[in-house]
Amino acid sequence: MPTAVIDGISTRYDIAGSGPPLLMFSPGGFDSTLESWRTVGIYRRLGLLGHLTKSYTCITFDRRESGQSGGRVERLSWDGYVRQGRGLLDHLGIDQAHLMGGCVGCSTVAAFGVAHPERVLSMVLFSPAGGVRYRLKQHARFVRHLAYAEEHGLEQVAALVRGSDRGFTADPRVGPWASVIRTDPAFAAAYARGDADRYRVAVSGTARLLFDRDTVPGPEPEDLLRLGLPALIVPGQDQSHAPSAARYLQECLPRAQYWDVPVGEQTEQTAPARILQFLDGV
């Protein structure tokens, strides 16, 4: 698959289908790869890509620090994820696109809309990640990683990563840069030699910045309230995708359509059709 260097970081992406561009921010937490649209949870069941590519040019990609994309040891932020998406549109010569996020990808879509509304035709926010249990789970994951790194050192973290195929979501000990350690030997060597104090600041700062509230993380609610972009919100219903998170976005986005359908009734027959109805009507 093709790659583009964005903000100094390699991004693996794929383009499928034809029609207006739809930039898709993957589900999967810290393992947000372009394959996640076909392999993760509800997205596997719904077959969204197969339906959306019939009417739209779907642009999927590995989020930085995921899959085959590169990364950089620094405090991770929603702004950084937005820069990756914007840079990919620039690389492809696309001025405006529809945006779609799944799970944690919804936070980046919302942040992108706030930062660059002139480049966004609409937003689809499918099963947004959020809720108090989601925040607690994320902070616990970073705490466990830092504890392992401080006890064993970054060289041992890198060795643990190379001896496993598990990501940060499945095994917090490996940390959020696990995939880059596996795919980039030069990065892995530099990571192992990294300064422990600077690393601790980057990791703890990432947890505090990314997961700072008990609802959908990302842009401030006051910025969402002023955002005039059309949006479709599809709720989730578990500890990482609380219904309250979707309702929060409904409350904050003035032009939101809320598809009030339980997850069990979101099927391959109903969900793609509802998304296409929204996109076609923008």
Side-chain angles (χ1 to χ4, degrees), residues 61-107:
F61 62 99
D62 293 350
R63 193 174 80 168
R64 55 172 289 178
E65 283 88 29
S66 295
Q68 300 296 313
S69 286
R72 188 165 51 231
V73 177
E74 61 189 7
R75 188 181 69 172
L76 303 176
S77 69
W78 301 114
D79 288 343
Y81 296 142
V82 169
R83 285 196 300 272
Q84 184 185 26
R86 184 197 65 206
L88 185 53
L89 290 183
D90 292 342
H91 173 76
L92 297 173
I94 298 172
D95 292 329
Q96 289 185 307
H98 299 279
L99 305 185
M100 179 171 177
C103 180
V104 71
C106 295
S107 291

Side-chain angles (χ1 to χ4, degrees), residues 111 114 212-213 216-226 248 252:
V114 167
D212 61 345
R213 61 197 69 180
V216 179
E220 294 301 312
E222 292 82 359
D223 292 325
L224 293 176
L225 285 166
R226 300 177 65 242
Y248 165 82
C252 289

Side-chain angles (χ1 to χ4, degrees), residues 162-281:
R162 289 191 295 267
S164 166
D165 61 357
R166 305 181 80 190
F168 187 39
T169 301
D171 183 358
R173 297 177 302 166
V174 302
W177 289 277
S179 66
V180 195
I181 292 171
R182 291 193 184 99
T183 58
D184 186 339
F187 176 92
Y191 178 95
R193 298 192 304 268
D195 179 85
D197 291 334
R198 290 175 62 87
Y199 185 78
R200 185 185 310 109
V201 170
V203 173
S204 60
T206 294
R208 183 177 61 82
L209 181 65
L210 287 185
F211 308 108
D212 61 345
R213 61 197 69 180
D214 290 335
T215 183
V216 179
E220 294 301 312
E222 292 82 359
D223 292 325
L224 293 176
L225 285 166
R226 300 177 65 242
L227 190 61
L229 296 172
L232 173 66
I233 302 166
V234 182
Q237 197 170 10
D238 59 35
Q239 291 190 0
S240 292
H241 313 85
S244 62
R247 289 295 187 184
Y248 165 82
L249 290 175
Q250 180 193 20
E251 179 183 1
C252 289
L253 292 168
R255 296 183 62 191
Q257 299 178 31
Y258 188 90
W259 193 39
D260 195 7
V261 173
V263 170
E265 296 177 22
Q266 298 171 18
T267 67
E268 187 171 359
Q269 289 69 44
T270 61
R274 182 65 184 90
I275 295 170
L276 288 168
Q277 179 190 44
F278 167 76
L279 292 173
D280 294 345

